[in-house]
């Protein structure tokens, strides 16, 4: 639980929630074993069923349940588009509650420990889903739809699966940066011409961890120390904000901007473009089902919708879906997904390194 609390601090969950989470973990009230067993059995059995009438059976069972409850941290506009499409296809209503990743996780813990679980499906950041796994909040099962996902999309013990990826781009303002000056390697960013012209998202420890490890820890840490000391990138809180500042020209080049921010702004005519330095890093959001799901068939139907038709919604909004059959600008791009298990295990270490190297240097 120590890692969970430390991670919540990273995501700026208020201190009063940290205390409540600690208390909740200590006061675990058992949920009805019978209810949990029924949900487990229903979802696992239907997920494994291979009959030609599988989809028909699942849809009919979901319609009988009539609804499902989704807790998520994805933006309101995306959530509403997904829900509207799902409801129109299957006539199954989705009750939505959305908040920050940490708040979602805290609510699920609270309801579980109070003996009144309400959530059927959870869709939050993948690192937080690894936390949920450690809190025994997720059901282990395998859907055949996970076979067509990118490498690394399926999480610990088949308990969660990535639904989309934010590929971190090096975005630049086309009025401020000449095409010939666009960096071709990370080493190029050490050139003195970039001093005072770079921006980094201020809470991107996960990206930092993945990039440093891809370079080799000693070499990667030296690289970041050299970059911060020599060219002093400014830290901006929020990937969308960083992207907007690149579009406005206030930050000529953002080193870690989400792909959908850049692509959407470019479509609207903003003076922004991007390059993708190797290794490219991706940060994902994942979906899992509760072992105490009150609407197990509807939950499984929604889960499989998110890995099939829902992927088209993500692509249409310039996000990068994990289904390999969906066309996107990054379909054939090789990117590294961070290792949430190792990152959570070593979070204290990487938080301190990030603060010492980046945050305290700003």
């Amino acid at each position: 639980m120590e890692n969970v609390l430390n991670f919540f601090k990273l995501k700026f969950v208020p201190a009063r929630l940290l205390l409540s989470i600690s208390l909740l973990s200590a006061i675990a009230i058992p949920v009805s074993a019978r209810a949990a067993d029924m949900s487990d059995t229903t979802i696992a059995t239907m997920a494994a069923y291979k009959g030609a009438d599988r989809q028909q059976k699942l849809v009919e069972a979901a319609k009988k349940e009539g609804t499902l409850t989704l807790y998520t941290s994805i933006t309101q506009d995306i959530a509403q588009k997904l829900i509207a499409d799902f409801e129109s296809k299957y006539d199954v209503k989705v009750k939505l509650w959305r908040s920050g990743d940490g708040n979602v996780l805290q609510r699920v813990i609270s309801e579980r420990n109070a003996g009144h679980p309400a959530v059927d499906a959870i869709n939050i950041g993948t690192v937080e889903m690894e936390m949920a796994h450690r809190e025994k909040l997720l059901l282990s099962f395998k859907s055949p739809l996970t076979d067509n996902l990118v490498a690394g999309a399926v999480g610990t013990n088949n308990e969660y699966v990535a639904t989309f990826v934010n590929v971190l781009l090096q975005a630049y303002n086309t009025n401020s940066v000449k095409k010939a000056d666009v960096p071709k390697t990370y080493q190029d960013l050490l050139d003195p011409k970039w001093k005072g012209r770079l921006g980094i998202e201020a809470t991107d420890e996960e990206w930092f961890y993945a990039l440093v490890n891809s370079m080799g820890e000693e070499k990667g840490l030296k690289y970041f120390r050299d970059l911060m000391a020599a060219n002093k990138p400014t830290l901006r809180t929020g990937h969308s904000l960083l992207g907007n500042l690149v579009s406005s020209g206030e930050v000529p080049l953002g080193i870690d901007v989400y792909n959908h921010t850049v692509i959407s702004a470019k479509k609207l005519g903003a003076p922004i473009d991007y390059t993708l330095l190797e290794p490219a890093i991706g940060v994902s959001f994942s979906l899992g089902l509760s072992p105490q799901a009150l609407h197990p068939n509807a939950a499984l139907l929604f889960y499989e919708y998110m890995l099939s038709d829902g992927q088209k919604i993500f692509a249409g909004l310039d996000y990068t879906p994990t289904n390999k059959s969906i066309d996107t600008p990054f379909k054939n791009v090789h990117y590294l997904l961070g290792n949430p298990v190792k990152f959570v295990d070593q979070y204290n270490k990487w938080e301190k390194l990030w603060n010492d190297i980046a945050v305290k240097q700003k």
Side-chain angles (χ1 to χ4, degrees):
M1 193 64 192
E2 180 181 355
N3 279 331
V4 175
L5 296 181
N6 285 331
F7 190 78
F8 282 172
K9 291 176 186 176
L10 162 65
K11 293 301 183 185
F12 306 110
V13 176
R16 63 182 180 275
L17 288 186
L18 301 179
L19 175 60
S20 67
I21 292 167
S22 298
L23 294 174
L24 288 170
S25 293
I27 309 173
I29 300 174
V31 178
S32 165
R34 181 172 180 272
D37 287 346
M38 288 177 64
S39 293
D40 285 5
T41 302
T42 299
I43 293 174
T45 300
M46 181 58 77
Y49 180 64
K50 301 183 184 301
D53 59 347
R54 180 185 186 278
Q55 184 68 6
Q56 179 184 345
K57 282 180 174 291
L58 179 57
V59 172
E60 289 175 353
K63 284 184 176 181
K64 286 181 181 179
E65 294 170 352
T67 188
L68 69 104
T69 298
L70 169 68
Y71 292 175
T72 187
S73 62
I74 61 176
T75 62
Q76 185 74 23
D77 60 331
I78 297 174
Q80 293 296 348
K81 287 180 183 295
L82 290 164
I83 289 170
D85 188 54
F86 176 80
E87 290 180 344
S88 69
K89 281 180 167 64
Y90 300 113
D91 195 27
V92 175
K93 297 297 180 182
V94 179
K95 296 178 182 177
L96 173 68
W97 185 80
R98 64 171 302 278
S99 187
D101 294 316
N103 290 335
V104 170
L105 191 49
Q106 189 270 340
R107 178 168 177 166
V108 178
I109 293 172
S110 176
E111 292 175 346
R112 187 272 310 273
N113 290 349
H116 301 291
V119 68
D120 295 302
I122 305 165
N123 189 197
I124 54 179
T126 296
V127 169
E128 287 86 351
M129 289 297 278
E130 174 61 23
M131 299 291 179
H133 153 71
R134 297 180 187 208
E135 288 293 319
K136 303 187 186 306
L137 299 174
L138 302 172
L139 176 65
S140 175
F141 69 97
K142 188 177 189 312
S143 165
L145 274 72
T146 62
D147 293 338
N148 196 38
L149 303 182
V150 298
V154 179
T156 304
N157 197 33
N158 286 312
E159 291 182 19
Y160 56 90
V161 60
T163 51
F164 69 88
V165 175
N166 288 314
V167 181
L168 291 150
L169 309 180
Q170 292 68 56
Y172 61 93
N173 183 284
T174 55
N175 294 331
S176 303
V177 178
K178 297 177 182 178
K179 192 75 172 178
D181 290 336
V182 174
K184 295 178 174 59
T185 69
Y186 281 104
Q187 291 299 317
D188 289 347
L189 295 174
L190 297 176
D191 191 302
K193 71 184 178 184
W194 293 111
K195 187 172 184 177
R197 305 181 71 205
L198 302 174
I200 296 178
E201 204 286 321
T203 64
D204 225 348
E205 289 95 334
E206 189 179 357
W207 165 76
F208 169 70
Y209 160 81
L211 186 55
V212 166
N213 277 280
S214 73
M215 294 178 172
E217 185 173 326
E218 183 178 350
K219 182 179 178 181
L221 291 175
K222 182 181 185 304
Y223 170 79
F224 270 95
R225 289 188 178 104
D226 290 346
L227 178 68
M228 299 305 297
N231 288 336
K232 303 187 183 305
T234 59
L235 282 93
R236 309 298 179 125
T237 301
H239 291 91
S240 295
L241 172 62
L242 180 57
N244 291 338
L245 292 174
V246 173
S247 291
S248 71
E250 183 174 337
V251 175
L253 190 148
I255 300 176
D256 54 336
V257 183
Y258 283 164
N259 63 280
H260 65 86
T261 301
V262 180
I263 301 301
S264 296
K266 190 175 178 181
K267 286 181 179 178
L268 293 174
I272 191 171
D273 208 339
Y274 69 91
T275 188
L276 192 55
L277 303 179
E278 294 184 357
I281 306 296
V283 176
S284 61
F285 272 61
S286 288
L287 174 68
L289 302 184
S290 169
Q292 289 89 37
L294 301 178
H295 311 96
N297 292 291
L300 179 58
L301 184 64
F302 182 77
Y303 179 99
E304 296 193 337
Y305 162 82
M306 288 283 279
L307 300 181
S308 53
D309 289 340
Q311 297 284 284
K312 300 171 186 175
I313 301 290
F314 287 125
L317 295 170
D318 300 316
Y319 287 76
T320 302
T322 53
N323 187 313
K324 292 185 290 188
S325 66
I326 306 296
D327 285 327
T328 76
F330 303 95
K331 179 179 180 179
N332 297 315
V333 171
H334 175 69
Y335 52 82
L336 301 176
L337 284 177
N339 186 320
V341 177
K342 290 184 178 179
F343 179 66
V344 171
D345 287 342
Q346 301 174 16
Y347 176 71
N348 290 340
K349 168 185 174 179
W350 291 99
E351 179 193 37
K352 185 176 187 306
L353 285 168
W354 176 255
N355 286 332
D356 290 346
I357 294 172
V359 177
K360 292 179 182 178
Q361 300 300 315
K362 66 180 180 178

